[in-house]
Amino acid sequence: MAAAPEPLLRIRELRKNFGAHEVLKGISLDVHAGEVVSVIGASGSGKSTFLRCINVMEMPNAGFLDFEDAHFDFAEGSRSRPSEAQLRALRARIGMVFQSYNLWPHMTVLENVIEAPMRVLGRPRAEAVATAESLLERIGLADKRGAYPSRLSGGQQQRVAIARALAMKPRLMLFDEVTSALDPELVGEVLALMASLAQEGMTMLLVTHEIGFAREVSTRTVFFDQGLIAEDGPPREVLRRPKSERLQQFLKRVLHEHVADEVAGGAQP
Amino acid sequence: MTFSEWLDFFLPYVPGFLHASWLVLVITVLVILVSWVCGLLVALGKASQIGVIRQASNFYIWFIRGTPALIQIFIVYFGLPQLGLGLSPFVAGVLALGINSGAYVAEIIRSGLSAIPKGQVESSLALGMSRVETLRRIVLPQVVRIILPSVTNEAISTLKNTSLLSTITVVELTLYAQTIIATTFRPFEFYAATAVIYLIMTTMLSQVAAVLERHNARYV
């Protein structure tokens, strides 16, 4: 058997607390290139905080993170705590998509997508525009390049947000409950785009409540419970045959809501 | 009074009025500059980690908004010389009005900054943009649009408040009118004319702001 390749992202014993409240109690996770890892768990289980620690939108209180040539030790007083410049370099290579899209309302769709490549990567405008145009083409919004975000639907805004992150040509994409703020009928178009990214081999970490999507698209599912990874494995195993009672209860609750949603949706005239 | 009599009556004072109005505009611009320096410092001071700076900023806003502008002008022009800091009426006036307006500008800036959702900054930082780039490219353009109406109001207040400087011998529009009235005994005509000139200047200000606002509203 060949030696396993180095993981793209290696996290060890990651801890994060807000005041006295410990949200992450020592998370270790390896993500290899091409993996699509879905992170599930109840609200408050620390899954979103974990995602935000990976690109250090939240500064962890302890633990180690290796991503390509970046090696951080977050322990208080450690010499390898990330500097401002290192953080920027890390974030430039890790794309993040948020629940609330967070497009910049004073810029057009095209301006949103070319801003970071020009400012952060120093790309010439023409090159940034060419990249942006092909991305907009791909997400089916080429005709909206001159529109301001307020003119777009939630689903369209979220697709532009994904294109904005992709324009940086990231090695890893983080999706933080990106369909939670969308009207139910707009969820599909965003999930379809994410599925096609996964198919192309993009390495992805996604926090999601869409259990069906996690099962179909991810190569691996991680269940967060009370600040720790409680289960980790192929989605079919984790989701079909949950070992812990906590995950069984969680799945029952989520799937029940789902069914209730569908019944309510179906009952509408 | 026929129109030609009326014209003959006013005509000699037109250059004086123009000069006084020009002075009003110059003072207004200078006061706005001082007020923005004060306002930015105090808005930052209010967000400071250091308790003393935060308290000083709060005190400044509390004091300025709680006392009449006229008293503030008197403190600077009549009071400071007692402490060894004698200023010309013009400088004292600009300084006092600037410090006064600065308290309001600070509140305007603070409310504008707090109106920007946190996600706007986060999405920028998450792409690797620096804090300075994020402030300059993402936050400030949005803040400007939000605060423009309040900034216009404040500029109009400032322009009108310059008339208070008539009390410390700055020969701006109001004091100029008073000196003419003292010799002509025609208060109604000259105060009415003065009011019209103020009105023209404040209307111009709000017209400029309306154009800017329309330009900024394109993405709403």
Side-chain angles (χ1 to χ4, degrees):
Chain A
M1 200 173 124
E6 279 289 295
L8 177 65
L9 173 73
R10 181 196 291 271
I11 286 167
R12 287 292 174 273
E13 285 303 307
L14 198 75
R15 286 170 186 276
K16 173 67 185 173
N17 46 267
F18 294 110
H21 179 53
E22 195 169 31
V23 183
L24 300 178
K25 300 174 182 168
I27 303 285
S28 298
L29 186 76
D30 284 354
V31 178
H32 290 86
E35 273 196 295
V36 178
V37 182
S38 51
V39 180
I40 59 170
S43 61
S45 60
K47 55 193 192 309
S48 276
T49 304
F50 171 64
L51 212 63
R52 294 165 55 81
C53 280
I54 294 173
N55 62 352
V56 202
M57 297 305 289
E58 303 286 354
M59 180 68 78
N61 296 94
F64 303 88
L65 184 152
D66 298 317
F67 179 81
E68 299 188 313
D69 58 340
H71 309 286
F72 300 140
D73 174 358
F74 296 110
E76 212 75 56
S78 153
R79 282 212 204 134
S80 20
R81 282 198 125 195
S83 68
E84 183 74 26
Q86 287 173 318
L87 278 188
R88 293 186 57 192
L90 178 78
R91 289 168 179 164
R93 287 176 291 163
I94 300 181
M96 186 171 211
V97 185
F98 301 85
Q99 184 178 336
S100 49
Y101 339 131
N102 299 342
L103 292 182
W104 303 309
H106 58 299
M107 295 183 181
T108 63
V109 164
L110 186 77
E111 286 165 348
N112 265 277
V113 180
I114 64 175
E115 179 72 12
M118 285 173 65
R119 305 266 154 202
V120 179
L121 305 177
R123 296 266 182 273
R125 191 183 168 88
E127 189 189 324
V129 169
T131 308
E133 279 173 341
S134 70
L135 280 167
L136 292 178
E137 190 77 44
R138 155 168 202 177
I139 64 170
L141 292 174
D143 57 325
K144 300 283 189 199
R145 54 173 279 167
Y148 286 96
S150 58
R151 300 272 176 253
L152 306 183
S153 74
Q156 291 173 329
Q157 287 190 52
Q158 193 61 296
R159 278 147 64 199
V160 173
I162 293 172
R164 178 173 68 176
L166 291 175
M168 295 292 285
K169 304 202 164 75
R171 299 292 317 277
L172 170 69
M173 285 283 286
L174 308 174
F175 295 88
D176 190 5
E177 297 189 31
V178 296
T179 56
S180 299
L182 293 172
D183 289 335
E185 74 268 26
L186 302 177
V187 169
E189 62 191 70
V190 174
L191 292 183
L193 175 57
M194 289 164 66
S196 79
L197 280 178
Q199 208 139 39
E200 283 167 24
M202 173 64 80
T203 313
M204 297 164 52
L205 247 145
L206 44 115
V207 168
T208 186
H209 289 131
E210 303 280 340
I211 300 296
F213 182 76
R215 189 169 49 224
E216 296 309 317
V217 174
S218 53
T219 58
R220 185 171 158 202
T221 296
V222 173
F223 173 59
F224 264 61
D225 187 38
Q226 298 175 331
L228 286 168
I229 292 181
E231 295 202 29
D232 180 352
R236 273 155 221 283
E237 236 162 78
V238 172
L239 297 170
R240 292 250 166 84
R241 282 183 291 278
K243 291 192 205 88
S244 64
E245 201 173 314
R246 306 272 307 183
L247 179 52
Q248 287 165 18
Q249 283 170 350
F250 172 75
L251 288 174
K252 206 179 278 176
R253 215 165 44 240
V254 174
L255 294 174
H256 180 76
E257 275 166 25
H258 221 78
V259 171
D261 272 355
E262 270 162 29
V263 169
Q268 277 165 11
Chain B
M1 216 168 16
T2 67
F3 182 71
S4 70
E5 278 172 338
W6 185 79
L7 210 59
D8 287 342
F9 176 65
F10 267 113
L11 221 46
Y13 302 108
V14 166
F17 266 113
L18 282 178
H19 183 263
S21 308
W22 173 245
L23 192 59
V24 167
L25 289 178
V26 169
I27 293 171
T28 302
V29 168
L30 292 176
V31 168
I32 289 173
L33 288 178
V34 174
S35 74
W36 273 85
V37 171
C38 290
L40 275 170
L41 286 177
V42 174
L44 290 175
K46 268 189 80 127
S48 168
Q49 308 280 337
I50 305 158
V52 184
I53 293 177
R54 218 169 39 239
Q55 279 159 14
S57 306
N58 285 329
F59 176 84
Y60 169 84
I61 291 173
W62 173 69
F63 179 84
I64 295 296
R65 299 211 299 183
T67 56
L70 192 57
I71 297 298
Q72 295 160 15
I73 292 166
F74 286 171
I75 289 175
V76 172
Y77 182 61
F78 296 117
L80 288 188
Q82 238 177 295
L83 306 176
L85 188 63
L87 300 170
S88 74
F90 183 85
V91 172
V94 167
L95 215 57
L97 285 179
I99 290 169
N100 172 273
S101 175
Y104 297 91
V105 169
E107 287 291 273
I108 291 170
I109 293 173
R110 198 190 52 77
S111 71
L113 282 173
S114 65
I116 306 299
K118 224 176 82 202
Q120 290 290 306
V121 174
E122 284 201 331
S123 59
S124 173
L125 294 179
L127 286 158
M129 306 247 287
S130 70
R131 296 201 165 269
V132 175
E133 281 168 343
T134 301
L135 193 67
R136 200 171 64 79
R137 298 282 306 165
I138 308 302
V139 177
L140 287 184
Q142 297 186 60
V143 168
V144 166
R145 184 186 70 82
I146 293 170
I147 69 177
L148 200 58
S150 322
V151 168
T152 313
N153 279 339
E154 188 50 32
I156 288 172
S157 291
T158 295
L159 191 145
K160 291 187 295 182
N161 277 344
T162 58
S163 77
L164 294 172
L165 302 188
S166 63
T167 59
I168 58 167
T169 73
V170 178
V171 190
E172 40 63 72
L173 198 49
T174 304
L175 186 52
Y176 178 69
Q178 280 170 348
T179 53
I180 300 169
I181 290 161
T183 55
T184 59
F185 304 106
R186 306 299 287 260
F188 182 78
E189 287 87 341
F190 283 109
Y191 278 138
T194 306
V196 168
I197 296 171
Y198 277 118
L199 208 52
I200 291 169
M201 291 194 285
T202 53
T203 306
M204 275 170 12
L205 253 181
S206 28
Q207 288 303 314
V208 172
V211 170
L212 288 177
E213 253 173 77
R214 259 199 304 282
H215 175 72
N216 275 318
R218 69 196 183 282
Y219 62 79
V220 187

